[in-house]
Amino acid sequence: MNYIKIFITLFAVLCGGIFNGTALAQFNQTILFVPHDNRPISFMQTVSNIRALGYNVITPPENLLGNRDDLGHPDALAKWVSENAEKADFAVLSADSLVYGSLVASRKHDIPADVLQQRAAASFAELHQKYPYLPIYVFGSIMRTPQTSAASSEEPEYYRLYGTMIARYTALLDKREKDGLKGGERQELANLEKSIPQTAINDWMARRAGNFEVNKYLITLTQNKDISYLVLGCDDNAPYSQTDKERRELDKYAGQLEADKYQSVAGLDELGMILLTRAVNELEGDIPFVNVHYAEGRGADTIPAYSNEPIKDSVRTHIKLAGGLQVNTAKRADLVLLLNTDKNGITYAANDPGNTTELRANTASFADMAGKYLKEEKNVGIADIDFGNGSDNALMNLLWQRGYLPKLKAYAGWNTPTNSSGYAIGLGMLSSYTNQQNTIKMLIPRYLDEWLYQANIRQQVANKLGSFKGEGDYGDTKTRNAQAQEYATELMRQDIIKYGLDKLPGEAALDRAEVRFPWHRLFEAEVIIPEK
């Protein structure tokens, strides 16, 4: 018996720790959840993991959530939350959805400051007054700083022209504040100030200032105990950036708020999964122990793309956010988390031609490490962050050859590295509450999305898109969307059979899986898995 874990868990419960007095008093086994948009990974893929454990997750009608074109309906969402919260043991709520309408809306809105304040008060302070015993977990974004103009589809129109310069300009301002500038950098800053239209920089900074005040208000609500737990995530970020500057200032404003009440973290899209996992851990009355290991090379000190800190710091924070505890040995760990990092600490793009099945310097040794812990019958999870937005083909091919894929407890390799590591932590913790067949059901969407689609099929569809009738490209498939979906579905079914994924327990229906592009772009896909 793990007496150390029992003692720590009881101590946390008695002292208020990560629990809010609900862990030992389970009611409806129900969590109310509002995501920050309707993307599959943000919404139903995450929800399905919680439901697989037998929990009831109440979600709003999808037409109230934001998407690429519809920026959301925050007032209707707040009304829905207020009307449904009485059914829940926990509420996990996106501040971006309830204040701005959606994550994309938070970057493009022109909403007056007083309206933002009123929405935040109605969504959280008034909700707490109405349901004083309901733990309210809130996750919000510290507005991102895209490093290039390529991200312009989710930014104001001027970012398409000046985004790269705006990112560099604010990075130099941040560096000047933190470390000082060299002579050439001072001149570069002056040149950028002249090159960026004042109207563009004024608009961008004014919106940021408004969002910053909303985040300060959310911290105040947390200090007043209207919000039980607040997490502010840094969307696309860098060590020198306006996002990192605002994070530092918000952390300072939070002051002495306990770590079990407030946290900022690198990463954002994974936070819904992380806080849902925290709620489950509280309902289960458990604090999962997580032992962490990295691939050979730079490993734990890797500063991945879209982040401002070493991955070891993000992982430690994500474990804490999810209600777990990082431990130094695998002996008593509930989860052994392995992070696949590039030997030199570089994040590549998963759709890059270099992402092949040819083994790299540390691929075999990483697979050997996974095999070692699987042989010891440990619960093994893998965060595949060598590449951004997709799996490492060499690693996945090797894990498949060795028969490790159906034995894992968690896997993630989507979007940014911190998205993947956070999601893998949540998935690994949740898997301890169910059997391996249910765990496989949670793993399959990750294998189909990150490995088969993102790292392979995505580029094949992109290469053929121009030959389809109609109009459309990678970023907006337009009238070619149906043809792209049909071709991606054909490739997906071929790969499912090739790798025998339809032969896994309970997965015979996989050979009828379908691929959809709900946001009419190839960057993300929804893989629909039919019932038996």
Side-chain angles (χ1 to χ4, degrees):
M1 183 176 291
N2 192 342
Y3 292 106
I4 295 177
K5 183 174 182 181
I6 292 173
F7 173 78
I8 291 175
T9 303
L10 288 174
F11 182 80
V13 173
L14 293 172
C15 295
I18 67 164
F19 298 103
N20 290 308
T22 57
L24 300 181
Q26 300 178 19
F27 302 111
N28 302 314
Q29 299 290 287
T30 298
I31 303 169
L32 184 144
F33 176 55
V34 175
H36 53 219
D37 55 42
N38 76 338
R39 281 174 297 165
I41 190 66
S42 304
F43 188 29
M44 293 313 299
Q45 287 184 8
T46 290
V47 167
S48 66
N49 294 322
I50 313 301
R51 289 176 175 165
L53 305 179
Y55 286 94
N56 180 28
V57 184
I58 307 173
T59 58
E62 189 169 353
N63 64 348
L64 297 184
L65 300 176
N67 55 46
R68 182 178 180 178
D69 302 313
D70 182 346
L71 297 184
H73 306 272
D75 296 326
L77 264 180
K79 182 174 183 291
W80 178 89
V81 169
S82 181
E83 291 173 348
N84 288 272
E86 65 179 354
K87 308 170 189 174
D89 302 316
F90 285 85
V92 177
L93 307 175
S94 162
D96 293 307
S97 284
L98 288 163
V99 175
Y100 311 105
S102 66
L103 179 59
V104 173
S106 73
R107 305 165 182 160
K108 301 173 74 169
H109 71 86
D110 293 306
I111 305 168
D114 61 328
V115 175
L116 297 177
Q117 185 94 354
Q118 290 167 10
R119 286 178 179 171
S123 297
F124 307 117
E126 293 176 20
L127 183 67
H128 174 67
Q129 292 170 9
K130 187 173 181 180
Y131 304 106
Y133 299 107
L134 176 69
I136 300 172
Y137 293 170
V138 178
F139 61 104
S141 65
I142 301 173
M143 189 172 157
R144 73 177 184 172
T145 307
Q147 296 302 293
T148 70
S149 300
S152 59
S153 65
E154 296 178 16
E155 302 293 329
E157 179 60 25
Y158 55 76
Y159 215 86
R160 180 175 57 85
L161 299 174
Y162 304 107
T164 303
M165 287 191 287
I166 290 173
R168 180 59 179 164
Y169 172 69
T170 54
L172 289 171
L173 290 176
D174 187 30
K175 186 177 182 183
R176 183 174 67 181
E177 178 179 309
K178 283 199 292 191
D179 302 319
L181 299 178
K182 299 175 182 177
E185 292 173 328
R186 286 192 290 271
Q187 185 59 52
E188 182 185 4
L189 178 62
N191 292 340
L192 286 168
E193 195 165 28
K194 295 176 183 177
S195 302
I196 304 170
Q198 196 62 44
T199 53
I201 198 67
N202 285 349
D203 177 80
W204 198 67
M205 295 301 287
R207 185 173 296 104
R208 299 196 70 101
N211 291 12
F212 182 82
E213 289 303 315
V214 167
N215 284 333
K216 285 177 65 177
Y217 181 59
L218 294 177
I219 291 172
T220 299
L221 292 180
T222 307
Q223 292 168 333
N224 295 340
K225 300 184 180 179
D226 292 307
I227 293 174
S228 307
Y229 195 74
L230 173 66
V231 183
L232 296 179
C234 297
D235 207 354
D236 294 1
N237 197 11
Y240 294 120
S241 65
Q242 185 65 22
T243 304
D244 189 59
K245 171 183 170 64
E246 291 170 10
R247 179 187 182 182
R248 297 194 309 273
E249 293 176 356
L250 288 166
D251 286 348
K252 183 178 179 181
Y253 182 78
Q256 300 302 311
L257 257 180
E258 300 92 336
D260 66 325
K261 300 298 181 186
Y262 165 80
Q263 183 69 57
S264 67
V265 64
L268 178 64
D269 285 350
E270 73 281 8
L271 294 184
M273 174 66 158
I274 286 287
L275 289 185
L276 285 169
T277 301
R278 185 183 182 93
V280 169
N281 284 332
E282 294 203 13
L283 287 167
E284 294 285 340
D286 195 14
I287 301 176
F289 286 4
V290 183
N291 181 229
V292 182
H293 300 271
Y294 296 84
E296 292 178 352
R298 192 163 179 81
D301 294 319
T302 297
I303 300 179
Y306 313 104
S307 180
N308 65 329
E309 64 186 16
I311 190 63
K312 63 183 179 184
D313 295 342
S314 301
V315 166
R316 185 181 300 109
T317 301
H318 277 119
I319 292 171
K320 180 171 61 176
L321 290 177
L325 182 67
Q326 185 168 337
V327 295
N328 295 327
T329 174
K331 186 176 181 179
R332 295 184 177 87
D334 299 287
L335 174 67
V336 177
L337 179 70
L338 312 180
L339 287 98
N340 177 38
T341 49
D342 175 70
K343 185 175 182 180
N344 298 313
I346 301 171
T347 304
Y348 299 95
N351 61 344
D352 187 277
N355 187 10
T356 70
T357 57
E358 183 177 347
L359 301 184
R360 291 182 306 285
N362 58 4
T363 309
S365 61
F366 185 85
D368 290 344
M369 179 166 57
K372 169 184 177 293
Y373 287 113
L374 287 171
K375 187 176 181 180
E376 294 175 2
E377 299 185 342
K378 302 297 183 184
N379 295 330
V380 177
I382 291 178
D384 192 357
I385 63 171
D386 196 322
F387 293 86
N389 203 48
S391 299
D392 175 350
N393 275 320
L395 174 64
M396 294 302 286
N397 193 58
L398 189 55
L399 295 175
W400 168 69
Q401 289 176 351
R402 295 186 181 184
Y404 293 165
L405 294 182
K407 298 178 181 179
L408 296 178
K409 293 295 183 181
Y411 174 85
W414 61 280
N415 218 347
T416 71
T418 48
N419 293 158
S420 292
S421 57
Y423 206 91
I425 287 165
L427 203 59
M429 290 183 181
L430 295 176
S431 68
S432 66
Y433 302 129
T434 190
N435 58 37
Q436 190 59 25
Q437 185 163 329
N438 276 342
T439 297
I440 288 173
K441 286 192 176 299
M442 293 192 284
L443 287 169
I444 283 295
R446 308 276 58 81
Y447 294 158
L448 301 188
D449 194 338
E450 278 94 276
W451 179 27
L452 301 188
Y453 177 74
Q454 296 291 354
N456 296 282
I457 295 171
R458 176 163 58 116
Q459 193 55 41
Q460 292 173 265
V461 176
N463 291 340
K464 194 166 182 176
L465 195 63
S467 67
F468 296 151
K469 294 180 180 178
E471 297 180 341
D473 54 29
Y474 181 92
D476 189 349
T477 51
K478 296 181 180 176
T479 59
R480 290 172 171 165
N481 198 61
Q483 298 167 83
Q485 290 178 160
E486 184 178 344
Y487 183 52
T489 294
E490 177 187 342
L491 296 174
M492 177 65 70
R493 292 177 178 179
Q494 290 174 3
D495 282 351
I496 286 170
I497 294 171
K498 174 183 176 180
Y499 293 107
L501 298 180
D502 58 325
K503 300 298 189 293
L504 294 177
E507 300 303 324
L510 277 186
D511 62 356
R512 293 185 284 113
E514 297 183 5
V515 179
R516 295 287 180 266
F517 302 123
W519 278 32
H520 283 233
R521 62 184 188 184
L522 302 185
F523 182 73
E524 63 266 300
E526 179 180 14
V527 183
I528 300 173
I529 303 172
E531 297 295 328
K532 293 182 182 179

